[in-house]
Amino acid sequence: MTDQGALRTTFCFAPPVDDAAAWHLQLDDLAAKITEAFPGASTSLGGDLGPRSADALSFDVPLGDEVWLEGLATTPCPEIGSVMVMQASAAEAAPFAAWLRDAFVPSPDLVHFTSELSLNNGDDAYWVLPPNGGVDEIAQMLQEHIDATDRS
């Protein structure tokens, strides 16, 4: 599953801005659930990234056909944080986003997202991941986000 010519960006998935602790994000729990859900995945806990202290979890998830999805989760405050997938196409990010929505967060309507592409273009609005639907619907929404941002 690779999109050779697709535009890639870093997607950031987070709880709603007005309820930042909605996920009750615990990095050790996220690490355990990633390795359980994605056979062959690897995780590494770390800390103190960037100018502000934050705990971090880096991970690599196999997508098949020797394609890997690289990610990073950070918690600058207890139970508050976000999960990013790095330099992925919409189709590559969608399976992880679906898993995050369906198997990790406490409610499917709590997954908001943006992208590095959008932020670099001055758009700091978060989109809401569809609370239902499959990987194809999520990939379509992520692609719509990229397309809307790329036109800006």
Side-chain angles (χ1 to χ4, degrees):
M1 171 195 303
T2 184
D3 286 340
Q4 293 294 354
L7 184 60
R8 294 180 175 342
T9 188
T10 295
F11 288 97
C12 178
F13 301 98
V17 173
D18 61 349
D19 192 7
W23 291 4
H24 306 288
L25 184 58
Q26 301 285 330
L27 296 180
D28 55 345
D29 184 41
L30 179 62
K33 289 183 177 175
I34 286 173
T35 56
E36 179 182 314
F38 298 96
S42 63
T43 63
S44 177
L45 288 167
D48 292 337
L49 294 178
R52 180 178 173 161
S53 179
D55 290 329
L57 170 72
S58 58
F59 57 89
D60 292 298
V61 173
L63 296 178
D65 295 329
E66 298 184 26
V67 176
W68 289 78
L69 186 65
E70 181 181 351
L72 179 68
T74 59
T75 53
C77 300
E79 298 191 354
I80 296 174
S82 61
V83 179
M84 295 179 285
V85 293
M86 319 296 249
Q87 297 305 306
S89 69
E92 292 165 348
F96 186 83
W99 171 82
L100 188 68
R101 179 197 68 190
D102 297 340
F104 186 74
V105 300
S107 177
D109 61 340
L110 294 176
V111 183
H112 293 208
F113 73 94
T114 189
S115 67
E116 180 181 31
L117 180 63
S118 180
L119 294 170
N120 285 344
N121 284 334
D123 181 2
D124 61 359
Y126 275 79
W127 291 40
V128 180
L129 207 64
N132 48 42
V135 171
D136 290 340
E137 289 85 0
I138 292 173
Q140 182 178 347
M141 176 166 268
L142 295 175
Q143 188 62 52
E144 288 172 10
H145 170 83
I146 288 173
D147 293 345
T149 301
D150 199 35
R151 283 192 300 266
S152 303

